[in-house]
Amino acid sequence: MQDKINKIIWITIPVLIIIFIIIGIINKNKKIEYVKKFYYMDTYIYVKIYSSDNKLANEALNEVENIYKNYHILTDKYNSYKNVNNIYYIKNNDSKDEYIKIDKKLYNIIEYGIDAYKKTNGLLDISMGNVIDIWKKYIENKNGIPSMDELKKSKTNSIDDIILKDGNTIKNNHVNIDLGAISKGYTTKEVGKYLKKMNINEYLINAGGNVLVGDYYKKGYYKIGIEDPDNKNDVFKVVKGNNIAVVTSGGYERYYEYDEKKYNHIIDPTTLNPKNYMKSVTVISKDSALADTLSTALFLMEVDKGKEYVNNLSDVEAIWYTCDNKVEFSNGAKKYIYK
């Protein structure tokens, strides 16, 4: 009888060891949710990743914050930073050199902005800093509107005055460059590339209306709500998908009313004034920099013209919330709609 008990014990122990090993492997490979929140580029940024490696996850989140911080500094047009030739420095420097040296990252995003000008037929113009500053002042003061004469006099530079050279220098034309329409989407794209490089494929980033998601952390897909322009506590559509960017531009976030007319912060380079063709437009693309760029450009187009523009692009869709509270879609946008 004792021999039989001993035999059962010797059989049971290896089985238990195997079970414990399996449980240990499962727990080791189990992915945990890691979250970090911070504030750069005038917006709250929320990052969520899934990883089974605690050290890797925390290092990655710290680096993600560093990426946003670095681009925040480089694209800050209102503040100088010690030993940093950012876009504030480009406009306000006292150097006598024909070309000034800038960070390679800043060079690349400015180059992207010049290319965006061409792709949007001039509707996204990063040389509009002076005009944007004037409208910013009126929006903050909420009193009156700038005259056309004031706006035209401020437009002392054009996109042609932004001349890049040798991968790290820019002509010293003191252009008031404004990268606000592309910086969040561009930086978020860089963050996505970094996470992929670190083999972190399951993530969600929300940078103030600029959303980028990777693979879903379990079966299914992410569901991304589009804010209702008339009720910020509600959404009017929910987009579903993985490995996509969803970016919304609207005039309902920053605006003021004067003489019963609304004036928002998105300025048309062709008229030097805001446009009110719609309440918001949302762009869906795998490329968050492109989605950010196009959301601004489409906001400055009439809806029908915007549809025509998007329908001629590949891998880009859009959803419009019109001024009369209708929802319009590009040809393939409805495949992304959850509800």
Side-chain angles (χ1 to χ4, degrees):
M1 182 69 178
Q2 185 64 42
D3 288 343
K4 187 174 182 181
I5 292 172
N6 289 337
K7 186 176 181 181
I8 292 171
I9 291 172
W10 281 107
I11 292 172
T12 304
I13 288 174
V15 171
L16 289 173
I17 291 172
I18 292 170
I19 290 171
F20 288 135
I21 290 172
I22 292 171
I23 291 173
I25 292 171
I26 290 172
N27 286 333
K28 185 179 179 181
N29 292 327
K30 184 179 179 182
K31 291 188 176 180
I32 300 171
E33 177 183 291
Y34 295 84
V35 175
K36 191 160 192 177
K37 302 174 186 177
F38 38 85
Y39 187 88
Y40 294 108
M41 299 178 175
D42 295 324
T43 195
Y44 289 99
I45 300 166
Y46 175 91
V47 181
K48 181 190 292 185
I49 64 175
Y50 295 86
S51 175
S52 57
D53 187 327
N54 180 69
K55 183 180 178 182
L56 172 67
N58 285 297
E59 286 178 353
L61 285 177
N62 287 335
E63 180 58 22
V64 165
E65 181 174 2
N66 283 333
I67 293 171
Y68 276 106
K69 180 181 178 180
N70 288 337
Y71 276 102
H72 167 84
I73 291 171
L74 291 171
T75 62
D76 186 346
K77 69 194 292 287
Y78 299 110
N79 297 285
S80 64
Y81 297 84
K82 188 176 180 180
N83 299 323
V84 177
N85 292 359
N86 64 352
I87 57 174
Y88 176 91
Y89 175 84
I90 291 172
K91 178 180 183 291
N92 298 286
N93 78 87
D94 57 5
S95 171
K96 303 301 181 184
D97 295 333
E98 183 182 4
Y99 282 83
I100 54 175
K101 196 169 184 178
I102 58 175
D103 189 287
K104 177 65 175 175
K105 293 183 180 68
L106 180 56
Y107 183 101
N108 288 340
I109 191 172
I110 292 174
E111 187 174 50
Y112 184 90
I114 294 171
D115 188 55
Y117 177 89
K118 299 170 185 174
K119 286 182 178 178
T120 62
N121 299 316
L123 286 179
L124 195 148
D125 185 348
I126 63 172
S127 73
M128 285 273 291
N130 287 339
V131 174
I132 289 170
D133 285 349
I134 289 175
W135 275 106
K136 182 176 184 290
K137 179 182 68 176
Y138 278 89
I139 289 173
E140 289 175 350
N141 293 336
K142 302 183 186 303
N143 183 26
I145 59 171
S147 68
M148 184 54 65
D149 186 55
E150 181 182 5
L151 293 169
K152 284 182 177 178
K153 283 181 179 178
S154 74
K155 189 74 171 68
T156 55
N157 295 110
S158 72
I159 198 76
D160 294 330
D161 293 314
I162 304 175
I163 302 169
L164 300 170
K165 182 181 177 182
D166 297 335
N168 65 349
T169 63
I170 185 169
K171 193 164 185 179
N172 194 12
N173 286 332
H174 298 278
V175 181
N176 187 349
I177 297 173
D178 191 297
L179 298 171
I182 62 174
S183 58
K184 283 187 289 185
Y186 184 96
T187 306
T188 300
K189 179 180 179 178
E190 292 300 304
V191 168
K193 286 161 62 175
Y194 165 75
L195 291 175
K196 293 282 187 181
K197 182 181 176 182
M198 301 303 292
N199 292 318
I200 297 173
N201 298 309
E202 298 163 356
Y203 60 85
L204 180 151
I205 304 166
N206 186 354
N210 287 252
V211 177
L212 177 67
V213 298
D215 295 332
Y216 197 52
Y217 63 96
K218 52 187 177 182
K219 290 183 179 179
Y221 39 72
Y222 289 97
K223 293 181 279 292
I224 304 154
I226 306 176
E227 188 175 77
D228 188 332
D230 296 322
N231 181 3
K232 295 181 183 180
N233 295 318
D234 199 5
V235 298
F236 73 91
K237 288 293 175 186
V238 177
V239 169
K240 63 180 180 180
N242 298 324
N243 295 296
I244 58 170
V246 181
V247 180
T248 299
S249 284
Y252 60 93
E253 288 285 358
R254 283 184 284 165
Y255 72 93
Y256 73 111
E257 292 189 39
Y258 179 72
D259 278 351
E260 299 182 350
K261 183 177 179 180
K262 287 185 178 181
Y263 295 89
N264 62 68
H265 71 290
I266 304 176
I267 311 303
D268 185 343
T270 63
T271 65
L272 308 184
N273 281 280
K275 280 288 190 293
N276 288 296
Y277 290 133
M278 65 209 68
K279 292 184 178 180
S280 75
V281 59
T282 298
V283 177
I284 305 165
S285 170
K286 293 186 181 299
D287 185 329
S288 66
L290 178 63
D292 200 9
T293 298
L294 293 183
S295 69
T296 298
L298 290 173
F299 190 82
L300 297 172
M301 297 183 197
E302 295 178 19
V303 175
D304 288 342
K305 289 183 179 179
K307 280 186 183 181
E308 183 181 354
Y309 181 88
V310 172
N311 289 336
N312 284 320
L313 299 175
S314 58
D315 299 323
V316 175
E317 301 298 341
I319 304 167
W320 291 261
Y321 193 102
T322 68
C323 290
D324 55 357
N325 301 324
K326 293 180 180 177
V327 180
E328 302 282 350
F329 301 90
S330 60
N331 284 347
K334 288 185 178 180
K335 70 183 178 184
Y336 291 104
I337 299 302
Y338 175 71
K339 64 177 183 177

